[in-house]
Amino acid sequence: MIKVEGVTKVYGGFTAVDDVSFVCQPGRVTGFLGPNGAGKSTAMRMMVGLTPTTRGRITIGGHAYTDIPNPARHVGVLLDASAQHKGRSGREILNLAAITLGLPSSRVDEMLDLVSLSPKESKRRLKNYSLGMMQRLGIAHALLGDPEVLILDEPANGLDPAGIRWMRDLLKSYADRGGTVLLSSHLLNEVELIADEIILIGRGRIVAQGTKKELLSRDGQETAYVTAVDNAAFAAELARRGFPVEIAGDGLAVGTSPLEVGRAAAESQTVLTDLRSASTGLEDLFLELTADTQRESAVAVQPAPATVGTSNEGVA
Ligand SMILES: Nc1ncnc2c1ncn2[C@@H]1O[C@H](COP(=O)(O)OP(=O)(O)OP(=O)(O)O)[C@@H](O)[C@H]1O
Ligand SMILES: [Mg+2]
């Protein structure tokens, strides 16, 4: 378990991370999202003692990272895959780490196999690695000591589609076996597929956090899209039942679950041609909640509520 309590990082007069608190639970994949410069990498660096905190406390499995003996046996870290000696081969890098950790060299072969780096590739020097190969090596390095916790800064960066799918399956099964995973990413679709919990950060502050389900259903407020043969009549029926309803495209957006809408349709003998859940996508949520922290004004489409929990918007 990773516990971050009231952590702040100030560089000179600039606050890069501002009073951030969250917990990453075992058995869960936690996605750490935020625009460029939001403070994700800084927060991760503080977790593993590479950057001291200005205020606050971070523990992993109840201990500060710097107090954990042989930390790579407990915490797998991938912050910058290129931060290795460029003249060493991938295999040498893993071999050195294995020796430091007291692991047999067979573990290196196992990891190279796991991340699909061929024996030939593993003998190439790091300076001749492609971005994706470097990233695969970084993942192998993080997993080498069979840790219980993984802290990965943009692990999917540079991976090809098959590699991204492989990593998703790898991290999911790692969490299913009880591992704790914290990963940052800009690939929102990817995070939506993989993360159980999501932490959204903008300008150093957490703007939203919760389970994927909670966030995407906007604080439990579900929305259903429905199209009936007679939309006007069904809209009147839904309004009579007290559901917020608006016209949306060819159909209606209703501020309740598809189950309730289906029930209303059955009871009023309404013929439907479409009914589905219209939970906000992660990308919409991300752009909305971080609108005032984004560089591109074009994405500042809606005012950002302070937190998802205080949002009292009607149907989308
Ligand atoms: N050593 C430092 N000195 C001064 N400012 C720093 C330092 N390290 C980071 N920062 C600033 O802290 C802020 C957060 O940076 P950080 O790298 O944590 O962002 P990030 O969320 O990881 O962004 P990205 O998505 O681009 O990787 C940035 O404004 C950055 O310039
Ligand atoms: Mg970063």
Side-chain angles (χ1 to χ4, degrees):
M1 184 203 278
I2 306 171
K3 201 166 180 188
V4 178
E5 294 170 283
V7 166
T8 296
K9 179 69 199 178
V10 181
Y11 288 114
F14 173 72
T15 306
V17 175
D18 191 359
D19 195 18
V20 162
S21 301
F22 60 85
V23 173
C24 303
Q25 300 283 1
R28 314 282 282 171
V29 177
T30 305
F32 199 19
L33 304 174
N36 291 138
K40 304 178 297 294
S41 299
T42 305
M44 287 175 143
R45 289 175 61 82
M46 287 192 284
M47 286 174 200
V48 297
L50 288 172
T51 297
T53 59
T54 305
R55 274 188 298 282
R57 187 176 138 81
I58 305 177
T59 54
I60 301 176
H63 306 279
Y65 180 87
T66 45
D67 293 340
I68 302 172
N70 215 351
R73 286 279 200 153
H74 304 281
V75 189
V77 181
L78 171 60
L79 293 181
D80 179 355
S82 68
Q84 295 281 0
H85 193 295
K86 303 287 183 298
R88 291 202 178 113
S89 71
R91 180 178 289 276
E92 279 168 354
I93 288 168
L94 293 185
N95 269 334
L96 283 172
I99 292 166
T100 314
L101 290 174
L103 296 167
S105 63
S106 60
R107 179 75 184 159
V108 170
D109 292 309
E110 232 177 274
M111 287 301 104
L112 286 168
D113 200 36
L114 179 77
V115 300
S116 304
L117 282 174
S118 69
K120 213 169 161 187
E121 287 169 337
S122 75
K123 290 191 187 109
R124 254 176 238 161
R125 289 171 197 266
L126 199 72
K127 65 182 174 194
N128 298 327
Y129 268 33
S130 72
L131 182 59
M133 284 164 63
M134 205 137 44
Q135 206 67 7
R136 285 168 189 267
L137 185 73
I139 294 168
H141 194 262
L143 291 170
L144 193 68
D146 194 20
E148 307 93 65
V149 176
L150 282 178
I151 297 176
L152 311 171
D153 197 3
E154 302 192 38
N157 191 15
L159 292 183
D160 55 28
I164 289 177
R165 179 173 289 187
W166 159 78
M167 197 195 64
R168 186 199 306 153
D169 294 345
L170 178 91
L171 296 184
K172 267 188 181 294
S173 67
Y174 178 88
D176 286 345
R177 292 197 308 272
T180 306
V181 183
L182 175 66
L183 83 154
S184 76
S185 181
H186 293 117
L187 301 173
L188 300 180
N189 294 340
E190 202 39 50
V191 172
E192 203 169 333
L193 285 174
I194 195 177
D196 306 298
E197 311 273 340
I198 289 171
I199 295 157
L200 207 53
I201 183 173
R203 284 218 194 100
R205 294 193 74 95
I206 291 184
V207 293
Q209 69 184 107
T211 65
K212 184 168 60 179
K213 197 159 184 278
E214 278 165 4
L215 291 186
L216 294 185
S217 63
R218 310 303 310 269
D219 200 28
Q221 159 112 56
E222 273 194 274
T223 301
Y225 275 136
V226 63
T227 313
V229 171
D230 185 347
N231 278 327
F234 193 45
E237 172 64 26
L238 289 166
R240 200 179 59 74
R241 289 169 182 257
F243 297 125
V245 54
E246 282 176 12
I247 292 170
D250 293 339
L252 306 167
V254 192
T256 187
S257 64
L259 175 73
E260 289 301 325
V261 174
R263 189 170 283 143
E267 286 171 7
S268 62
Q269 300 200 337
T270 302
V271 180
L272 303 184
T273 54
D274 189 17
L275 173 60
R276 58 202 144 94
S277 171
S279 56
T280 322
L282 195 54
E283 185 174 284
D284 291 336
L285 184 74
F286 179 89
L287 293 176
E288 191 182 326
L289 293 183
T290 60
D292 64 345
T293 70
Q294 291 280 355
R295 286 146 208 279
E296 288 78 12
S297 56
V299 298
V301 285
Q302 294 185 41
T307 64
V308 166
T310 60
S311 168
N312 56 359
E313 290 174 347
V315 291

